[in-house]
């Protein structure tokens, strides 16, 4: 079929030609850019992967640049530290030379001092002028900043080398000590021949403090009236524990009023007295000191001795020890008390003013036929009633309230209650005195100094005060190393009478006691009154101490060794002096303790050593086969991780924390502090996160900061405590510590460069190369492949053009039909 309106072959040829042109255009673009992916349509997934890799490559490239910059900063600091180290070595040489004072003139030593002064100035100048792009490196501005915490004073020195402060910007550090470091220790006993050591006397003290008071109103007192024809309340108790002790408590008067009184037993290992009885309202607590061995009869005696408890009868049914096995009884109350037809009524009295003036007793008397009256009579409020007839509680209330400074009240609704005056002759009402008032006072202290009149260890011992209801005047005893003073548990006792009792022990031959201070009384019943005791100590017997036989021995320590040749009869003190004379050369100190020679290393830790080697010794000597001992290092954890230790120094080196701490000797308390900032922060990774950063501290190397335990470098300056003319030995120790400090800092910076920066740079460079290769494989064009595609596309375009030309000519064949 021949048609001219629709040339299908032409359409087909056009479509194929357009596709060939698109392929040719795409190939030309890839060959001209060198990229396989030039837009998202070329490869959407490949574009996403390529862009992600490009982002990583850019970040890592910057991290490599950061690492190079950090390396340059560390190199700059290390170069300056090298100059400081050289200057310190020169200073050390000058110190050693100046120590040769027997061969050097004063002028030569002075010249050395001038050189040291100049070196110190140069070191300070280097510390202040070493900069990188305007940032000072060695003046301490790049050191870590810390904030002290619990027991921070136990830390002698703190060096924070590296810390990762994380997202919070702070690292809390906790140091827990399991065992303190020890010195190497050797003891030699049995020194007997030689100089006499004089005896000494024991000494101790009793110290008293009464707190200041602003005045407290007197507590209320009361009078309780009731008929006594009812049954008395009673309580029977069997105590648990060995002995099955039993007792009964009865109210002395009848009525239900005592049914709610409770009694309870308790134990306390810390109280001073064996038995303490307290009451709060109607509740009584009897507290037994754990291990006191008190019996139930002792409890009864203590209970009966308290005047306020005279309304009760304490009866021991079966005596027994109230010992440690006693179970604490739940509170038990009196019961079965019954009233007569008239209910009990009470009247309360309070003092209107503060002070001891309101602490008065209350008594009821009968006299004549007059209406009730009340007045202060001595230390009591005396209420006088008619001998016969009746009186209302309201009348008694009004009589007491008429006394200036006191107010009486009656239970609500009971003012009209009638009291049978005749009945009062049969049983007195229950009376509770006013108490608790205190006058305004200022704090007062008093002390009793105690000294033994005789010398010797026999008079060393403890000092204690015991309070007892049975004591009228103070007594004192001394036996088995214990000085015990017994005073009354309620009434005040003068310090002078206590001192007199102590001075009178064994008719005044044992101790002498003297009172000092403003406090002259001791009231054991006053809660504001406290006392402390200082044990008797310092007493020593007379003895002789010295070397028993001729001996030659070598004493070796960490610092070196020395040979000693001692003769029989050399005193222990002389031997101690000989050893201590060369302690700087051996690192060992000596001390006399009775008949014992104590040898201790000067330093702590497993490096410390005391090695006593006997070269020769006559028969019966003190040194025998010699002895050897080493110390132990401290054992501690830092934030739960076991720290490396050396002596009293602990170190921790982790990925997040690198520090060195020197602790005070002989302490086991935990310490805390916080690292809150500071340090030089280097971004070494592609992501801005804490584990791809490094923060290193650069301490100041000024003369004021360099040094250690012996002192600081500035002390070597003219006129200072370690100048060449003042103390060259101290100067040598300080400069040695300063050299070690700078060397350690250089080593740490070098390790940071080698293990952190350079390894990081190599790793990142390898990573970048791998990522670039991966990104290239995704995005870059394969020129061989694209060149082949170009040739194919060119041929297809040319052939498509020819075919289209032919397809467009086909309809012209119709004209031949029309001729």
């Amino acid at each position: 079929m021949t048609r001219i309106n629709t040339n299908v072959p032409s359409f087909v040829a056009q479509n194929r030609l357009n596709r060939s042109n698109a392929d040719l255009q795409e190939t030309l673009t890839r060959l001209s850019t060198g990229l396989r992916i030039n837009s998202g349509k070329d490869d959407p997934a490949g574009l996403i992967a390529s862009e992600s890799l490009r982002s990583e490559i850019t970040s890592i490239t910057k991290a490599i640049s950061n690492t190079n910059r950090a390396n340059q900063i560390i190199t700059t600091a290390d170069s300056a530290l090298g100059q400081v180290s050289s200057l310190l070595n020169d200073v050390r040489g000058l110190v050693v030379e100046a120590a040769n004072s027997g061969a050097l003139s004063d002028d030569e030593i002075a010249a050395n001092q001038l050189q040291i002064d100049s070196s110190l100035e140069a070191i300070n100048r280097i510390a202040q002028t070493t900069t990188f792009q305007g940032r000072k490196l060695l003046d301490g501005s790049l050191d870590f900043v810390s904030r002290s915490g619990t027991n921070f004073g136990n830390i002698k020195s703190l060096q924070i080398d590296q810390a990762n402060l994380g997202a919070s910007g702070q690292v809390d550090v906790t140091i827990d000590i399991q065992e303190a470091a020890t010195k190497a220790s050797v003891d030699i006993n049995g020194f007997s021949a030689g100089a006499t050591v004089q005896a000494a006397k024991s000494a101790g003290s009793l110290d008293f403090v009464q707190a200041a008071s602003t005045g407290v109103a007197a507590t209320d007192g009361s009078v309780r009236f009731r008929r006594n024809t009812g049954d008395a309340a009673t309580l029977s108790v069997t105590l648990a524990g060995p002995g099955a002790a039993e007792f009964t408590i009865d109210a002395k008067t009848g009525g239900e009023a005592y049914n709610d009184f409770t009694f309870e037993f308790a134990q306390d290992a810390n109280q001073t007295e064996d038995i303490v009885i307290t009451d709060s309202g109607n509740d009584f607590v009897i507290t037994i000191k754990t291990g006191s061995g008190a019996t139930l009869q002792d409890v009864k005696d203590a209970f009966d001795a308290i005047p306020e408890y005279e309304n009760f009868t304490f009866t021991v049914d079966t005596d027994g020890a109230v010992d440690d096995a006693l179970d604490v009884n739940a509170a038990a109350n009196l019961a079965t008390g019954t009233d007569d037809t008239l209910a009990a009524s009470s009247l309360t009295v309070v003092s209107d003013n503060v002070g001891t003036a309101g602490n008065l007793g209350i008594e009821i008397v009968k006299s004549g036929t007059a209406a009730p009256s009340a007045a202060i009579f001595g230390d009591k409020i005396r209420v006088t009633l008619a001998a016969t007839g009746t009186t209302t509680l309201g009348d008694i209330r009004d009589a007491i309230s008429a006394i200036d400074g006191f107010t009486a009240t009656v239970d609500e609704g009971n003012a009209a209650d009638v009291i049978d005056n005749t009945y009062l002759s049969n049983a007195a009402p229950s009376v509770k005195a006013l108490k608790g008032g205190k006058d305004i006072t200022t704090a007062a202290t008093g002390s009793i100094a105690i000294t033994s009149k005789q010398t010797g260890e026999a008079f060393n011992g403890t000092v204690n005060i015991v309070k007892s209801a049975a004591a009228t005047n103070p007594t004192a005893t001394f036996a088995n190393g214990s000085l015990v003073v017994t005073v009354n548990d309620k009434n005040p006792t003068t310090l002078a009478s206590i001192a007199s009792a102590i001075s009178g022990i064994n008719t005044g031959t044992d101790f002498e006691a003297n009172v000092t201070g403003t406090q002259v009384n001791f009231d054991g019943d006053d809660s504001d009154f406290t006392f402390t005791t200082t044990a008797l100590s310092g007493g020593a017997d007379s003895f002789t101490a010295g070397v028993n036989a001729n001996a030659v021995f070598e004493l070796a320590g960490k610092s070196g060794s020395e040979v000693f040749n001692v003769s029989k009869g050399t005193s222990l003190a002389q031997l101690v002096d000989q050893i201590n004379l060369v302690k700087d050369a051996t690192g060992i100190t000596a001390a006399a303790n009775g008949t014992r020679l104590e040898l201790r290393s000067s330093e702590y830790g497993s490096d410390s050593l005391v090695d006593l080697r006997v070269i020769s010794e006559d028969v019966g000597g003190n040194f025998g086969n010699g002895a050897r001992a080493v110390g132990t290092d401290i054992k501690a954890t830092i934030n739960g991780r076991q720290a490396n230790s050396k002596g009293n120094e602990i170190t921790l080196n982790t990925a997040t924390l690198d520090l060195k701490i020197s602790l005070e000797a002989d302490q086991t308390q935990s310490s805390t502090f916080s690292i809150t900032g500071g340090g030089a922060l280097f971004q070494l990774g592609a992501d801005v996160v804490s584990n791809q950063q490094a923060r290193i501290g650069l301490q100041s190397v000024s003369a004021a900061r360099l040094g250690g335990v012996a002192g600081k470098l500035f002390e070597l300056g003219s006129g200072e405590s370690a100048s060449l003319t003042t103390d060259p030995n101290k100067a040598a120790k300080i400069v040695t510590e300063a050299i070690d400090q700078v060397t350690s800092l250089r080593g740490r910076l070098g390790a940071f460069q080698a293990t952190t920066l350079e390894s990081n740079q190599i790793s990142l460079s390898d990573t970048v190369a791998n990522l670039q290769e991966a990104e290239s494989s995704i995005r870059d064009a394969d020129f061989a492949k694209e060149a082949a595609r170009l040739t194919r596309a060119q041929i297809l375009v040319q052939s498509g053009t020819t075919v289209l030309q032919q397809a467009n000519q086909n309809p012209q064949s119709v004209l031949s039909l029309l001729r």
Side-chain angles (χ1 to χ4, degrees):
M1 182 182 294
T2 303
R3 293 173 292 198
I4 62 172
N5 287 332
T6 302
N7 191 349
V8 175
S10 177
F11 290 156
V12 172
Q14 290 179 49
N15 290 337
R16 295 307 304 174
L17 181 60
N18 288 336
R19 292 179 185 177
S20 296
N21 279 323
D23 290 341
L24 178 62
Q25 183 63 38
E26 181 181 46
T27 303
L28 290 172
T29 301
R30 290 178 176 177
L31 289 173
S32 62
T33 62
L35 299 175
R36 183 180 69 86
I37 302 173
N38 291 281
S39 63
K41 69 182 180 60
D42 293 338
D43 186 353
L47 178 66
I48 293 173
S50 175
E51 289 297 331
S52 176
L53 289 171
R54 282 190 173 187
S55 176
E56 290 185 38
I57 291 169
T58 301
S59 299
I60 294 176
T61 301
K62 287 301 181 181
I64 294 173
S65 176
N66 289 343
T67 303
N68 290 332
R69 179 66 63 88
N71 202 13
Q72 294 164 1
I73 292 174
I74 299 301
T75 300
T76 303
D78 181 69
S79 177
L81 289 172
Q83 292 300 315
V84 173
S85 182
S86 177
L87 288 168
L88 289 174
N89 286 328
D90 292 341
V91 170
R92 180 176 175 80
L94 293 170
V95 171
V96 173
E97 182 181 46
N100 190 29
S101 59
L104 268 67
S105 66
D106 293 343
D107 290 339
E108 290 175 302
I109 295 176
N112 284 4
Q113 182 64 57
L114 288 175
Q115 292 185 61
I116 291 177
D117 292 342
S118 178
S119 296
L120 296 182
E121 293 175 2
I123 290 172
N124 286 333
R125 183 167 57 254
I126 291 172
Q128 293 297 322
T129 60
T130 302
T131 61
F132 188 92
Q133 287 190 331
R135 170 172 289 184
K136 294 183 178 181
L137 303 180
L138 300 176
D139 67 340
S141 59
L142 293 181
D143 199 358
F144 283 98
V145 178
S146 62
R147 182 177 66 241
S148 62
T150 305
N151 297 322
F152 189 73
N154 292 337
I155 299 176
K156 292 177 61 176
S157 64
L158 171 62
Q159 178 179 317
I160 306 170
D161 296 334
Q162 188 172 346
N164 189 337
L165 304 185
S168 64
Q170 175 174 313
V171 175
D172 296 325
V173 180
T174 300
I175 305 166
D176 293 315
I177 301 174
Q178 290 86 42
E179 295 181 14
T182 62
K183 295 181 177 181
S185 173
V186 169
D187 293 338
I188 307 298
N189 296 299
F191 291 87
S192 58
T196 299
V197 179
Q198 296 299 321
K201 295 181 178 181
S202 302
S205 68
L206 277 167
D207 301 301
F208 303 87
V209 177
Q210 185 170 26
S213 172
T214 57
V216 180
T219 58
D220 61 336
S222 66
V223 183
R224 191 174 181 84
F225 301 91
R226 64 185 179 281
R227 293 184 181 272
N228 195 25
T229 57
D231 295 328
T234 183
L235 168 66
S236 295
V237 177
T238 299
L239 300 178
E246 299 178 349
F247 68 94
T248 302
I249 295 179
D250 300 304
K252 290 185 178 180
T253 59
E256 299 176 355
Y258 290 97
N259 285 349
D260 59 347
F261 279 68
T262 63
F263 291 80
E264 179 181 0
F265 274 73
Q267 295 184 55
D268 187 353
N270 298 317
Q271 68 184 28
T272 303
E273 301 172 38
D274 291 345
I275 301 171
V276 175
I277 302 176
T278 58
D279 66 278
S280 57
N282 297 342
D283 301 319
F284 294 78
V285 178
I286 302 172
T287 306
I288 309 298
K289 181 177 181 181
T290 304
S292 65
T295 66
L296 193 55
Q297 184 62 41
D298 297 331
V299 176
K300 168 181 168 54
D301 294 340
F303 187 92
D304 292 343
I306 302 175
E308 289 85 350
Y309 303 160
E310 62 184 2
N311 294 321
F312 298 93
T313 300
F314 192 112
T315 304
V316 177
D317 299 319
T318 301
D319 197 13
V322 187
D323 57 12
D324 295 348
L326 169 68
D327 294 334
V328 176
N329 283 70
N333 62 288
L334 276 70
T336 70
T338 59
D339 290 336
D340 199 6
T341 55
L342 180 62
S345 303
S346 64
L347 177 144
T348 302
V349 183
V350 297
S351 171
D352 298 337
N353 303 312
V354 299
T356 58
N359 294 340
L360 300 177
I362 302 174
E363 67 176 354
I364 307 293
V365 299
K366 296 187 296 181
S367 177
T369 59
S373 63
I376 296 177
F377 188 80
D379 60 352
K380 297 179 180 178
I381 297 176
R382 175 175 291 180
V383 179
T384 304
L385 305 179
T388 58
T390 59
T391 306
T392 65
L393 285 184
D395 295 335
I396 300 175
R397 175 199 61 196
D398 296 341
I400 296 176
S401 297
I403 302 175
D404 186 29
F406 293 90
T407 301
T409 58
V410 178
D411 296 346
E412 184 177 355
N414 292 339
D417 285 354
V418 176
I419 303 302
D420 186 344
N421 298 353
T422 303
Y423 161 73
L424 294 177
S425 64
N426 299 326
S430 174
V431 176
K432 184 178 180 182
L434 281 76
K435 63 180 181 179
K438 298 179 183 178
D439 295 326
I440 298 175
T441 61
T442 56
T445 61
S447 181
I448 300 176
I450 307 169
T451 307
S452 63
K453 290 186 177 181
Q454 305 174 52
T455 60
E457 296 180 357
F459 293 94
N460 293 337
T462 59
V463 179
N464 295 293
I465 286 186
V466 175
K467 292 178 283 186
S468 170
T472 54
N473 296 316
T475 60
T477 60
F478 181 76
N480 300 321
S482 177
L483 174 61
V484 178
V485 178
T486 303
V487 298
N488 186 265
D489 64 342
K490 294 295 181 183
N491 301 320
T493 305
T494 66
L495 268 60
S497 62
I498 296 175
S500 177
I502 296 172
S503 297
I505 296 176
N506 290 337
T507 64
T509 60
D510 287 354
F511 295 99
E512 179 180 358
N514 296 293
V515 178
T516 59
T518 58
Q519 182 59 40
V520 297
N521 293 324
F522 170 58
D523 188 352
D525 193 38
D526 190 343
S527 61
D528 290 340
F529 215 125
T530 60
F531 72 89
T532 57
T533 64
T534 302
L536 295 161
S537 61
D541 298 326
S542 175
F543 61 91
T544 58
V547 178
N548 294 339
N550 298 331
V552 178
F553 63 90
E554 180 184 24
L555 193 59
K558 181 180 179 181
S559 301
S561 63
E562 190 74 23
V563 175
F564 297 88
N565 189 337
V566 293
S567 303
K568 178 179 179 179
T570 301
S571 72
L572 185 55
Q574 291 171 334
L575 179 58
V576 167
D577 290 341
Q578 290 183 42
I579 296 173
N580 287 336
L581 186 64
V582 292
K583 63 184 179 181
D584 59 334
T586 62
I588 297 174
T589 60
N593 187 350
T595 60
R596 183 171 64 247
L597 171 65
E598 297 180 344
L599 301 175
R600 303 289 184 267
S601 61
S602 300
E603 299 182 11
Y604 287 79
S606 57
D607 288 346
S608 63
L609 171 69
V610 175
D611 188 6
L612 190 151
R613 306 171 187 172
V614 178
I615 299 173
S616 66
E617 185 177 37
D618 293 346
V619 177
N622 300 96
F623 302 103
N625 296 322
R628 176 186 173 89
V630 295
T632 59
D633 297 319
I634 191 172
K635 292 184 179 179
T637 61
I638 299 177
N639 286 353
R641 297 193 59 170
Q642 195 67 40
N644 298 319
S645 60
K646 181 180 180 181
N648 284 306
E649 184 177 273
I650 57 176
T651 59
L652 183 69
N653 189 353
T654 67
T656 58
L657 187 62
D658 186 357
L659 48 74
K660 179 187 296 183
I661 301 171
S662 180
L663 297 167
E664 292 288 349
D666 302 321
Q667 58 90 15
T668 57
Q669 294 177 319
S670 296
S671 303
T672 63
F673 64 92
S674 298
I675 305 172
T676 58
L681 178 64
F682 299 119
Q683 174 66 41
L684 304 181
D687 297 323
V688 185
V689 291
S690 58
N691 61 1
Q692 295 189 27
Q693 297 173 337
R695 191 187 294 263
I696 188 169
L698 295 176
Q699 294 82 28
S700 171
V701 295
S702 68
R705 298 291 298 276
L706 288 178
V709 177
K712 297 301 181 183
L713 190 62
F714 75 90
E715 296 179 51
L716 273 69
S718 296
E720 298 291 346
S721 61
S723 67
L724 296 182
T725 56
T726 304
D727 192 347
N729 291 335
K730 181 179 180 181
K733 294 178 181 178
I734 293 175
V735 73
T736 298
E737 292 176 339
I739 290 173
D740 292 342
Q741 189 174 351
V742 173
T743 302
S744 175
L745 178 56
R746 293 189 68 189
R748 179 164 55 84
L749 294 179
F752 181 70
Q753 279 185 290
T755 62
T756 302
L757 298 182
E758 293 183 2
S759 63
N760 184 67
Q761 186 178 30
I762 294 172
S763 175
L764 291 179
S765 297
D766 292 342
T767 301
V768 166
N770 294 329
L771 291 177
Q772 287 176 337
E773 181 180 0
E775 197 269 342
S776 175
S777 67
I778 296 173
R779 196 158 192 165
D780 288 350
D782 185 341
F783 268 68
K785 181 178 179 181
E786 296 303 329
R789 289 187 62 192
L790 174 64
T791 301
R792 176 178 177 276
Q794 288 175 333
I795 293 172
L796 289 175
V797 169
Q798 291 176 8
S799 63
T801 302
T802 301
V803 171
L804 179 60
Q805 180 182 12
Q806 293 176 355
N808 289 334
Q809 290 176 352
N810 282 340
Q812 296 180 7
S813 62
V814 176
L815 296 177
S816 63
L817 298 177
L818 298 176
R819 292 190 182 121

